[in-house]
Amino acid sequence: DIQMTQSPSSLSASVGDRITITCQASQDIANYLNWYQQKPGKAPKLLIYDTYKLQTGVPSRFSGRGSGTEFTLTISSLQPEDIATYFCQHCDHLPPTFGQGTKVDFK
Amino acid sequence: EVQLVESGGGLVKPGGSLRLSCAASGFTFDTYGFNWVRQAPGKGLEWISFVSASNTYIYYADSVKGRFTISRDNTKKSVFLQMSSLRAEDTAIYLCARDPGRLEPSYFDHWGQGVLVTVSS
């Protein structure tokens, strides 16, 4: 199985900060990488699929980049509603696996 | 509005069985695949099963293969997960997730709120 490793595991930032979360795959997954946001007690929400494609309704401050084994999710200007845990997930082949999550909160 | 609503969770003894349901509305059900994903308390996400729109392609994680069975009923717009030989490590919130993938899991564009399954004596 492909192992997905996110860094950092948690981060603290201020409103308006630019933050970047990294996801590393244990083998080449081309651009088959998706990002989800999960708030406490809620279901995950798809933010970005196929590395950089923004899901309908997701604010443009979210962006994704990468290819192969290294990927990033960037929030250009952190907003209060962005406090959540973020997961990456590959869908290159079976089984799809998720990163362990990055918890984002305020300083 | 796309809605996925899971039901059927609860407390079950080790070795027992449970059947989860996921009722869908707000979209053309038979054009999408579906996944079950679980999340143990305070832990990350684990994909466990996929069924394609055509019901032709079905896959399982090794951790549940041979014990869990996924199915769908397009007339009822529902997806099911039959779980048997349950173990303590199956304790988790089980989430149903819609998938545009035609042959195998891709990305999960809508999720239900999940249902808690607790396996304990």
Side-chain angles (χ1 to χ4, degrees), chain A residues 29-43:
Chain A
I29 58 170
N31 69 332
Y32 296 112
L33 191 282
N34 312 310
W35 290 97
Y36 301 88
Q37 175 194 67
Q38 187 177 32
K39 297 181 180 180
K42 300 292 187 181

Side-chain angles (χ1 to χ4, degrees), chain B residues 8-30:
Chain B
L11 175 63
V12 61
K13 288 182 168 54
S17 298
L18 213 54
R19 188 189 195 219
L20 305 183
S21 299
C22 172
S25 61
F27 61 98
T28 305
F29 181 81
D30 59 6

Side-chain angles (χ1 to χ4, degrees), chain B residues 7-9 17-21 71 76 80-83:
Chain B
S7 61
S17 298
L18 213 54
R19 188 189 195 219
L20 305 183
S21 299
S71 62
K76 295 181 178 179
F80 307 99
L81 187 69
Q82 178 68 47
M83 305 185 295

Side-chain angles (χ1 to χ4, degrees), chain A residues 17-37:
Chain A
D17 283 354
R18 179 185 183 90
I19 68 165
T20 296
I21 299 167
T22 298
C23 179
Q24 184 172 31
S26 59
Q27 58 185 266
D28 191 320
I29 58 170
N31 69 332
Y32 296 112
L33 191 282
N34 312 310
W35 290 97
Y36 301 88
Q37 175 194 67

Side-chain angles (χ1 to χ4, degrees), chain B residues 40-115:
Chain B
K43 301 295 185 182
L45 299 162
E46 180 190 12
W47 171 84
I48 58 172
S49 188
F50 168 85
V51 58
S52 66
S54 63
N55 215 10
T56 303
Y57 303 98
I58 287 177
Y59 306 106
Y60 300 96
D62 286 346
S63 58
V64 306
K65 198 173 294 183
R67 301 188 299 123
F68 290 11
T69 302
I70 193 170
S71 62
R72 63 187 292 160
D73 184 334
N74 288 349
T75 62
K76 295 181 178 179
K77 298 185 180 180
S78 293
V79 183
F80 307 99
L81 187 69
Q82 178 68 47
M83 305 185 295
S84 60
S85 302
L86 283 161
R87 307 165 181 165
E89 54 265 35
D90 295 319
T91 294
I93 293 172
Y94 285 73
L95 302 124
C96 173
R98 193 181 80 166
D99 191 327
R102 289 184 295 148
L103 302 179
E104 57 184 35
S106 60
Y107 54 89
F108 311 150
D109 65 356
H110 287 276
W111 299 64
Q113 286 299 304
V115 62

